[in-house]
Amino acid sequence: MDRAFSFPRPRPRGLLGRRFEMDEQLVLLGGIVLSVILLAALPGIPLKILGCLGAAGTCIWATLVPYKGRTFLRWFEIRRSHRRLLRDGKLLYRSTAPLAGRRRDGTPEPVAQPVGVPASLEWITGKTGYGDIAVLLQPTEGMFAACIEVEAAKNFGGLDGADKEALIGAYEYLLKETAEAGGRIQYVQWLARLLPTDPNAHAHDAAARRDPAAPAWLSDSYDQLVDMVSVYAEDRRLFLVLGIPYIPELSAEALNYQTLHDGYAEVLGREIEQFIRSLSGAQLRWVRNLDEPALASLIHHSYAPDHWINDVRGMDRASCWPAEMDAREPTRMAARSWEGADPWFTSTAWIKQFPVLPVGINFLAPLLLYVSDVILTVGVTMRLVPGDQALEDAMADVTNEAGQADTTPGKIADPREERELGASASTMHDLANGAVGVRLTGWVTVTAPDPELLVQHRNTVRAAAVKSQLTLEWCDSEQYRAFANTLPMVTGLLKD
């Protein structure tokens, strides 16, 4: 029997219970306190009733009532931040890389990054047995991030159930080994990059380069060769980003070397190399490490796809950012590369809800495989949680679901509550049987050369997400921040 996956619903974690977030609980508590104060301060019964109902009703409306897809409390901070950045001019970015000099060691001077990207990035070159790899230190996030390119089984969809189960089990073992082995890697981010290509590009290039003076037999032979070559209409790339938290013990170990930079390069390089060696056990083929030019090229390509991923000429920590970026429009972001004159438009959505019903292994196929002619990036950020801690959290979730269920005698039980309780209990039993504990979130970025085409591609991706039983929420008024979650930086997941 093929394996089925069930995802429990996202549970807000506040100070009191897990039904509301912390800010929602504070607003509701403030409404109660204000109502009590108005009851004591206002004269007359009518004023007391109006004041109490007005204060409590306003807080309840701001916290619970849907307002343009979210609640007023959710929109308040988003719009306030957007207006502040718009007033400060930070949503309009122009790179200073052409004016930046170089340090004595030859590395470029730091260049301010666009809004939304973690501030004060530091670039470190890690040393591994597979070559150098660029490591990004994000002080504000307390995280080191390194990126490698991998290749999965191309014919996964054509395998039978037993082979699929074996591959999934191998990957599950990789996650569990990483979480339980005492290593420093605690975050894993998958980035699936899909770019449509011209299937006739090689034929056009061959026709343009054809030599009229070449013998006829040679031209015929090459035409037959071109016809026999299989050409893919999409270029699919799969990147794996590793996140290592910045902790004092790591810094103390790095201090044993000549310089702190050399210490980080050696310590982080060993951790990354050990993880790369374990990829073969998960049936994943290591393709390459992304050193500074390669990582800079990937970041620049994410903003503007007319810069090709493999083109690393002139790419470094200064030129990785776009030449210009405009995030003033609430529904999209525009960026221009160094090579092009026209901007590319980008829109990012958050995967608000993973499937609420049990799904098979290939449930993401409509989004990852069947979307065509769309420049798409799907990012999933996971935090690996040790088994004991994950089991404790799962037991608390089951208790919470059971406590929230309405079990009034004589009332028909809500089937949605039964489903959520069943999903939570299933997760708890899976963890008890040895499954790995993972907390995850997902993001989808769509890129197009003009705004009208971007709207069409957004609708296409939304339809594909529905087929995959995903619920998307477009991050309007915070596109600049949401887009950074599909960059190779292991962001987008709340830190505990």
Side-chain angles (χ1 to χ4, degrees):
M1 181 178 180
D2 293 340
R3 177 182 296 198
F5 297 89
S6 59
F7 296 86
R9 65 179 177 182
R11 292 174 182 82
R13 297 178 182 269
L15 181 63
L16 302 173
R18 297 184 180 181
R19 183 180 289 271
F20 300 108
E21 296 282 2
M22 179 68 74
D23 54 353
E24 295 174 335
Q25 293 181 0
L26 292 177
V27 171
L28 292 174
L29 182 61
I32 295 174
V33 173
L34 182 59
S35 299
V36 173
I37 293 175
L38 291 177
L39 282 175
L42 291 177
I45 300 299
L47 289 178
K48 290 179 183 290
I49 295 176
L50 291 176
C52 180
L53 293 179
T58 301
C59 293
I60 292 174
W61 171 80
T63 306
L64 302 179
V65 178
Y67 174 67
K68 295 184 178 180
R70 303 178 186 177
T71 61
F72 179 82
L73 184 61
R74 288 282 165 266
W75 279 115
F76 176 77
E77 179 60 28
I78 293 173
R79 290 177 172 176
R80 189 181 72 88
S81 300
H82 186 266
R83 286 194 298 265
R84 184 182 69 252
L85 294 173
L86 189 62
R87 182 175 60 253
D88 297 341
K90 295 182 179 180
L91 295 180
L92 188 60
Y93 170 83
R94 180 169 296 175
S95 177
T96 58
L99 306 177
R102 290 186 175 269
R103 298 168 175 170
R104 292 182 179 180
D105 59 357
T107 58
E109 287 288 347
V111 172
Q113 55 265 26
V115 63
V117 178
S120 305
L121 291 178
E122 291 289 338
W123 292 67
I124 301 171
T125 301
K127 307 294 183 181
T128 73
Y130 299 86
D132 293 345
I133 186 170
V135 180
L136 290 179
L137 169 58
Q138 308 168 51
T140 57
E141 301 290 326
M143 181 77 65
F144 294 96
C147 183
I148 60 177
E149 185 174 358
V150 298
E151 185 178 277
K154 293 183 178 180
N155 62 337
F156 180 82
L159 300 177
D160 57 18
D163 292 336
K164 289 181 181 179
E165 179 68 25
L167 288 177
I168 293 298
Y171 176 66
E172 184 180 8
Y173 178 77
L174 171 66
L175 294 181
K176 187 173 182 179
E177 181 185 22
T178 305
E180 303 285 356
R184 292 190 171 96
I185 297 176
Q186 295 184 12
Y187 291 85
V188 175
Q189 179 188 23
W190 286 98
L191 289 176
R193 182 74 170 165
L194 170 64
L195 296 113
T197 58
D198 183 8
N200 300 316
H202 183 72
H204 295 160
D205 184 68
R209 295 173 180 267
R210 186 182 299 274
D211 185 3
W217 65 268
L218 181 60
S219 298
D220 294 340
S221 176
Y222 195 79
D223 289 339
Q224 295 177 11
L225 179 62
V226 171
D227 292 338
M228 295 174 62
V229 172
S230 176
V231 179
Y232 289 98
E234 295 89 17
D235 180 34
R236 300 178 184 273
R237 299 292 186 94
L238 187 60
F239 299 95
L240 184 58
V241 192
L242 309 176
I244 301 176
Y246 179 87
I247 56 177
E249 290 79 4
L250 191 149
S251 299
E253 186 176 349
L255 286 173
N256 295 328
Y257 294 83
Q258 184 175 2
T259 64
L260 188 61
H261 187 281
D262 294 339
Y264 282 142
E266 294 294 336
V267 174
L268 297 173
R270 286 199 304 267
E271 294 287 339
I272 297 169
E273 180 179 348
Q274 182 179 357
F275 184 86
I276 294 175
R277 293 184 187 277
S278 62
L279 285 177
S280 59
Q283 304 298 316
L284 295 171
R285 188 177 73 86
W286 172 85
V287 176
R288 59 168 177 159
N289 287 349
L290 268 64
D291 55 7
E292 181 174 330
L295 182 60
S297 180
L298 173 61
I299 293 175
H300 197 73
H301 166 81
S302 299
Y303 282 96
D306 54 355
H307 172 83
W308 191 239
I309 295 178
N310 295 337
D311 186 3
V312 298
R313 295 171 298 176
M315 287 288 105
D316 53 34
R317 65 190 67 181
S319 59
C320 66
W321 310 115
E324 294 179 355
M325 192 194 78
D326 186 356
R328 295 175 295 181
E329 183 67 29
T331 60
R332 63 177 183 266
M333 188 183 73
R336 182 178 66 83
S337 70
W338 297 106
E339 297 91 342
D342 298 326
W344 288 79
F345 298 89
T346 301
S347 188
T348 302
W350 167 48
I351 300 180
K352 185 177 181 179
Q353 173 66 64
F354 282 85
V356 296
L357 298 175
V359 292
I361 294 176
N362 296 325
F363 75 95
L364 284 177
L367 181 62
L368 295 178
L369 298 180
Y370 303 151
V371 173
S372 59
D373 299 328
V374 176
I375 301 176
L376 181 67
T377 301
V378 179
V380 176
T381 303
M382 300 182 293
R383 183 192 174 194
L384 309 181
V385 183
D388 294 339
Q389 180 183 351
L391 183 58
E392 290 179 4
D393 293 340
M395 293 173 63
D397 290 338
V398 173
T399 303
N400 184 54
E401 292 291 348
Q404 292 181 8
D406 188 357
T407 57
T408 304
K411 183 178 180 180
I412 298 177
D414 190 339
R416 292 170 297 183
E417 293 180 350
E418 295 180 351
R419 181 190 63 202
E420 299 298 343
L421 182 59
S424 301
S426 175
T427 301
M428 179 181 64
H429 290 300
D430 289 341
L431 291 170
N433 292 331
V436 63
V438 174
R439 294 174 184 166
L440 58 83
T441 186
W443 306 83
V444 179
T445 292
V446 183
T447 306
D450 60 77
E452 291 77 14
L453 191 59
L454 179 65
V455 174
Q456 297 178 16
H457 288 178
R458 281 178 47 153
N459 294 334
T460 301
V461 170
R462 183 189 295 109
V466 171
K467 294 179 182 178
S468 297
Q469 300 191 40
L470 303 175
T471 302
L472 298 185
E473 182 177 294
W474 296 100
C475 302
D476 294 342
S477 298
E478 51 180 352
Q479 290 291 339
Y480 58 92
R481 187 162 62 101
F483 172 79
N485 295 326
T486 53
L487 293 177
M489 296 182 184
V490 203
T491 56
L493 187 62
L494 288 177
K495 308 296 189 298
D496 289 340

